[in-house]
Amino acid sequence: MLPLSQQHCLNHPAREAAAQCPQCRHFFCRECITEHDDRILCAVCLRLMARKADGRRHPLRAFGRAALGLGGLLTAALFFYWIGQILLLIPASYHDGTLWKSFWSSGQ
Amino acid sequence: MKPSNREPGNGVFDLVEEAVHLLRGAPLSLHAAYALGTLPFVLAFLYFWADMSRGAFARQHAALGAAGMGLLFWWMKCWQAVFAAEVRSRIAGRAAAPWTLRRAGQLALTQIALQPSGLFAVPFALASLVPFAWVFSFYQNLTAAGGEPGGLGDTCKTAALQAGGRLGQCWLLLGVLFLFSFLVWVNTVLAMAMLPDLLKTLFGVETAFTQAGLHSVFNTTYLACSFALTYIFVDPLTKTLFVLRCFYAQSVRSGDDLQADLARLRAPAPDSPALLPSRP
């Protein structure tokens, strides 16, 4: 890719580029680029960001969020339930270490 | 231009060094935020483990215990994301953004909606080995990006994007973390085994552990305790490392690392020669 000094504005090909937009990676002149929230952005990317921020909320969005949260909670509970079931399946002699006692006594 | 390994964020050991430095210089409130989330979960998990392995009526209340563990897991992940957000603001050299109700709600939703799947996905990825670095990195990035502004989709997208980059570095980082965790675990096991005997020898304190002898060591709860303690010791470092990884990867576009460096240069050094009294 050519360096910034040899690039031209995407919207005004006759003008030299002043900066590269970090979002869309295109080069722009001073007029087409702006600063927003300590970042250099082109007008199109800034407009897209603003539109995304002001996006209308779907009425079912709250329901979807609650379902996601409940689903996540159930997934976590299911995982720990299975851990509990595995622990219940393991013999008590293994849990309390008496299993090894028979090995020591047979060794002696 | 091809990035050199000397750029910040590229070298694994540079990252580790920076993460350790950050944690050592962090205020007590940062560690308290981590402990507030993790300690209740770890203590409850050990109780759950002991109950399920020895409790006479464990089968009857297994479901209720599991639901409680699920809630505490959510609680832990939320506080870990708060910890990661504070670490990130320290790295960026900016004051932490205020915790509004909206931001806290977004964080809570992100953590409960996405993190529980990691309980199944990470062991599965470990068993199949190949995608492990990506999967592990993705769930760590969810914590690292959890406190950032943006919705569920944005956080998920950021985590996936950062997990896909620099996979070689991620594998090396996981290797270093595994080795470090193993050494910490060995030290923890030895300390747990020796502490009761030391108490008895030096102060004459008789405990249940000294009376039980080797039985106190050869049981599954002891093993679970050693792993839980290792997790508490190592996990803050893991979280900080993945926050650093995300920060440097995102800085390529945002320039946050340059802004942090500039902010550091602008701030007056505490031991600046100009502030020292001039010698006669």
Side-chain angles (χ1 to χ4, degrees):
Chain A
M1 188 190 285
L2 291 170
L4 178 67
S5 58
Q6 292 176 33
Q7 295 282 358
H8 289 87
C9 176
L10 184 74
N11 302 329
H12 308 98
R15 295 183 192 171
E16 282 183 356
Q20 185 182 17
C21 173
Q23 206 76 29
C24 63
R25 318 296 288 172
H26 287 126
F27 291 89
F28 295 95
C29 65
R30 281 176 195 283
E31 196 183 313
C32 301
I33 206 106
T34 185
E35 191 191 339
H36 171 71
D37 199 14
D38 293 334
R39 289 176 73 192
I40 297 284
L41 283 173
C42 72
V44 177
C45 290
L46 184 62
R47 206 179 303 133
L48 279 174
M49 273 176 68
R51 197 181 295 164
K52 207 173 166 185
D54 294 341
R56 288 191 173 198
R57 291 183 181 176
H58 198 274
L60 288 176
R61 197 172 162 178
F63 178 76
R65 285 179 163 206
L68 271 173
L70 198 66
L73 205 59
L74 279 173
T75 311
L78 188 69
F79 175 80
F80 290 109
Y81 182 73
W82 279 350
I83 293 278
Q85 293 303 309
I86 291 167
L87 286 171
L88 283 167
L89 283 174
I90 296 172
S93 59
Y94 186 80
H95 278 305
D96 56 26
T98 47
L99 181 78
W100 314 113
K101 198 178 177 183
S102 56
F103 284 110
W104 299 329
S105 40
S106 63
Q108 286 166 0
Chain B
M1 191 172 69
K2 193 181 173 186
S4 77
N5 277 338
R6 295 191 69 79
E7 279 180 21
N10 273 358
V12 169
F13 292 102
D14 290 343
L15 274 184
V16 173
E17 199 176 333
E18 198 174 343
V20 171
H21 180 70
L22 265 167
L23 285 176
R24 285 182 69 186
L28 201 64
S29 59
L30 191 73
H31 296 287
Y34 182 85
L36 190 64
T38 310
L39 286 183
F41 172 80
V42 168
L43 288 174
F45 182 71
L46 289 176
Y47 178 80
F48 180 74
W49 186 290
D51 188 34
M52 288 298 128
S53 56
R54 288 202 187 85
F57 305 104
R59 208 172 286 275
Q60 279 95 316
H61 54 250
L64 194 67
M69 287 307 303
L71 278 171
L72 281 170
F73 176 76
W74 180 22
W75 173 258
M76 176 180 76
K77 285 294 162 190
C78 287
W79 280 103
Q80 285 180 350
V82 169
F83 169 83
E86 298 298 313
V87 167
R88 196 187 170 96
S89 67
R90 284 182 71 82
I91 299 166
R94 282 197 295 252
W99 284 100
T100 57
L101 200 64
R102 183 187 163 84
R103 191 182 173 203
Q106 270 181 351
L107 180 140
L109 178 71
T110 311
Q111 298 307 308
I112 193 57
L114 301 169
Q115 289 284 4
S117 59
L119 291 168
F120 292 96
V122 172
F124 182 75
L126 185 64
S128 56
L129 201 65
V130 179
F132 179 67
W134 191 93
V135 174
F136 187 82
S137 180
F138 173 74
Y139 286 101
Q140 292 295 330
N141 292 346
L142 281 181
T143 306
E148 296 299 302
L152 191 70
D154 288 334
T155 309
C156 196
K157 211 165 109 181
T158 308
L161 200 71
Q162 304 309 326
R166 299 181 182 180
L167 270 180
Q169 184 203 50
C170 191
W171 273 111
L172 195 58
L173 195 62
L174 288 179
V176 170
L177 277 173
F178 175 76
L179 195 68
F180 178 63
S181 305
F182 179 71
L183 291 174
V184 170
W185 178 73
V186 170
N187 277 291
T188 308
V189 168
L190 287 175
M192 281 168 65
M194 285 166 69
L195 204 64
D197 285 329
L198 278 173
L199 275 175
K200 190 183 175 183
T201 311
L202 298 173
F203 304 109
V205 180
E206 189 83 54
T207 60
F209 297 102
T210 47
Q211 284 173 344
L214 276 175
H215 286 293
S216 67
V217 177
F218 286 106
N219 63 74
T220 55
T221 313
Y222 183 88
L223 202 67
C225 278
S226 68
F227 282 126
L229 281 172
T230 307
Y231 177 77
I232 291 172
F233 296 144
V234 178
D235 193 57
L237 181 70
T238 312
K239 295 281 177 286
T240 311
L241 278 168
F242 278 89
V243 171
L244 275 169
R245 238 174 78 85
C246 279
F247 174 76
Y248 283 123
Q250 286 176 329
S251 292
V252 174
R253 283 192 159 199
S254 66
D256 278 351
D257 56 342
L258 297 175
Q259 284 190 3
D261 284 347
L262 282 171
R264 262 181 228 118
L265 285 171
R266 275 195 216 115
D271 52 351
S272 170
L275 298 175
L276 295 173
S278 57
R279 284 184 186 172

